[in-house]
Amino acid sequence: MATTREVLGHPGLGPHLLAPWELRRLDAVRVPARRDDVLAARLLLRLCAARLTGLPPQETGLAQRCPRCARDGHGRPYLDGHPGLGVSLSHADGLAAAAAGPGPVGVDVEPAARRPGPPGVLRRLLPEADLREAAAHPDPGPALLRAWVRAEARFKAGPPGAGAVHRVTEWTDGRRSAVVAVASAGTPALLPPAAVLGGPVPGRVDRGPVRLPRTAPGARP
């Protein structure tokens, strides 16, 4: 997870790493700030996929396909040629997050100050236990936001396999004022931006995992 500025400020990253279909989608985004967020998330996802596969970011085979209409260019992302790996991305208001790993994965990021709603929508989308937990707080907003990003991460990961459940890892990045969640089959290796952005962009990428320490007191694992 990183800010959009951190990703786009890296000297080796830019639209030249995107596929033609991604550039067409990017051109369709009319709000400059949102366009930057979309670009940052896609670049960050390429770097995560590169660490996982050992391939250069531009050769990871990132693609998207919609299961409903069977058309390419939208829907859940995947790595062409790597059916056993899962990838996911998220962006929101100057923030970008990405995940890649064995099996299905899902990631979601939201600004910590955001408050999901309205209540009717939350009752349809969030588990009853999460709603009760939030209601027990004098200010239920932060708890509802954490529940929201967990639910979004689970949704993006898709239904777990037979007899399996998604492990959801959620934390608050105090420095970047963000709440993040990752859903995966196992415990993810959470990487700080420097571990992903610090290496060279062209060529092969070091795959060594680096675990992310809590970024602020009270951050939830």
Side-chain angles (χ1 to χ4, degrees):
M1 179 262 155
T3 65
T4 294
R5 178 176 296 181
E6 286 174 315
V7 177
L8 299 187
H10 191 284
L13 297 178
H16 64 281
L17 294 178
L18 301 190
W21 65 269
E22 290 178 288
L23 292 173
R24 289 193 294 270
R25 289 193 60 183
L26 195 64
D27 287 342
V29 182
R30 300 306 180 190
V31 180
R34 179 172 173 80
R35 187 184 306 119
D36 287 347
D37 292 344
V38 173
L39 175 60
R42 291 188 171 276
L43 293 173
L44 192 61
L45 180 56
R46 272 185 163 74
L47 293 183
C48 290
R51 290 186 64 93
L52 184 65
T53 63
L55 296 170
Q58 64 271 27
E59 297 178 14
T60 52
L62 180 62
Q64 285 182 262
R65 186 171 180 82
C66 177
R68 294 183 179 180
C69 67
R71 296 180 63 183
D72 294 325
H74 63 286
R76 184 173 287 121
Y78 66 97
L79 298 181
D80 191 22
H82 299 277
L85 303 181
V87 292
S88 181
L89 74 163
S90 179
H91 52 81
D93 296 348
L95 302 168
V105 296
V107 66
D108 192 56
V109 63
E110 295 287 352
R114 180 167 291 175
R115 294 295 176 260
V121 173
L122 297 179
R123 283 193 292 270
R124 293 196 302 270
L125 298 180
L126 298 183
E128 182 63 31
D130 287 343
L131 294 174
R132 288 198 301 269
E133 177 189 352
H137 294 273
D139 177 11
L144 288 173
L145 180 65
R146 293 193 297 269
W148 180 270
V149 298
R150 292 195 299 267
E152 282 288 297
R154 284 192 294 264
F155 174 79
K156 291 181 179 181
V165 295
H166 289 315
R167 179 191 298 270
V168 180
T169 304
E170 171 241 308
W171 72 98
T172 297
D173 187 323
R175 178 182 173 187
R176 297 170 182 83
S177 299
V179 178
V180 198
V182 177
S184 60
T187 302
L190 305 175
L191 304 177
V196 181
L197 299 173
V201 172
R204 304 187 73 84
V205 180
D206 177 15
R207 297 169 64 184
V210 179
R211 289 204 173 266
L212 175 69
R214 291 186 177 184
T215 55
R220 296 179 53 167

